[in-house]
Amino acid sequence: MSLLVKICGLSTRETLDVALDAGADMVGFVFFPPSPRHISLEAGRDLGRQVKRRALKVALTVDADDATLDNIMDALSPDIFQLHGSESVARLRDIKQKFGRPVMKAVPVATSADLAVLSGYAAVADRILFDARAPKDATRPGGLGAPFDWHLLENLDLKLPYMVSGGLHADNVAEALRVTRAGGVDVSSGVESAPGVKDPEMIKAFIRAARATQDASQELSVR
């Protein structure tokens, strides 16, 4: 199975084009006002049109209500909802039924105890995204540029596809993949020159580094 690379928090036509041209599999758009990567519905509509099926469109929300999700559906028509709040298993099921889209549930990780929720979410979610747990005083649950201890996922027995995020950048993505054996990686602040400001060269470097890891593992497997 090929590695999925997601560039999240895109907010301009220029950087979206860079991510798409560099081969991102997923492009993420943040609909959460406290985030420096938050975009308006109109911006989402414009950027969504630009994707033109070149990648999967991911709408990141945090404990959003039905009206908010309805507006996002109308503007972006996302391929996947990324639920980054404290959404319950029942809420995941409700969103899937109401909006007819796959859901990727973000699970914040700091200790092995944080993995206890997996069995519940795995019964409903289509994909899990492991992210670093935010500090208690943080104003948002992700995009903080901090990694978690990837070794917590070393013996993970999860039948569901999963991705890793949190503090990833071009220089550490290979190690993250080696330790976690994840099927995908998700980056946001690790390809920024300032909070919310994506850097085209950093985007390209990250995707190159992730793909090089995949190429190397495939080469080993055929030897």
Side-chain angles (χ1 to χ4, degrees):
M1 186 179 292
S2 60
L3 178 73
L4 293 179
V5 180
K6 176 172 173 275
I7 307 296
C8 196
L10 292 157
S11 59
T12 69
R13 294 179 64 87
E14 294 73 22
T15 54
L16 173 58
D17 257 344
V18 169
L20 292 168
D21 290 344
D25 302 290
M26 296 178 169
V27 286
F29 306 100
V30 176
F31 298 92
F32 183 56
S35 171
R37 302 163 190 98
H38 169 70
I39 60 171
S40 67
L41 292 170
E42 258 331 292
R45 190 183 306 278
D46 181 51
L47 294 170
R49 289 193 188 114
Q50 188 179 341
V51 177
K52 294 179 181 174
R53 299 185 182 276
R54 289 189 283 168
L56 295 175
K57 294 176 292 184
V58 183
L60 187 157
T61 66
V62 180
D63 297 315
D65 59 19
D66 283 357
T68 300
L69 296 178
D70 222 3
N71 288 335
I72 294 169
M73 280 291 295
D74 179 65
L76 180 67
S77 186
D79 297 293
I80 304 169
F81 277 114
Q82 178 177 326
L83 308 177
H84 222 99
S86 56
E87 297 91 357
S88 66
V89 173
R91 180 60 177 150
L92 262 65
R93 186 177 290 112
D94 190 43
I95 289 172
K96 287 184 67 169
Q97 289 175 348
K98 284 184 177 177
F99 298 97
R101 291 292 190 271
V103 297
M104 174 162 59
K105 181 68 184 88
V107 173
V109 180
T111 70
S112 58
D114 292 319
L115 303 179
V117 299
L118 283 177
S119 58
Y121 285 133
V124 179
D126 298 279
R127 188 177 297 274
I128 297 291
L129 174 68
F130 293 104
D131 195 6
R133 180 175 287 283
K136 288 184 179 179
D137 59 350
T139 57
R140 58 187 194 275
L144 302 171
F148 63 94
D149 181 2
W150 302 320
H151 292 281
L152 292 170
L153 304 184
E154 270 187 311
N155 299 311
L156 185 67
D157 183 21
L158 185 64
K159 302 298 185 285
L160 206 62
Y162 64 94
M163 304 176 75
V164 291
S165 63
L168 295 181
H169 49 73
D171 294 330
N172 69 2
V173 65
E175 180 66 5
L177 286 166
R178 185 190 69 78
V179 174
T180 65
R181 295 171 292 115
V185 287
D186 180 3
V187 68
S188 187
S189 61
V191 291
E192 291 180 346
S193 56
V197 182
K198 292 288 185 286
D199 182 290
E201 293 308 315
M202 292 172 77
I203 290 173
K204 289 186 277 191
F206 182 86
I207 294 176
R208 275 198 308 270
R211 296 290 181 222
T213 303
Q214 181 184 14
D215 294 343
S217 63
Q218 288 175 342
E219 186 178 326
L220 285 172
S221 68
V222 297
R223 283 182 181 176

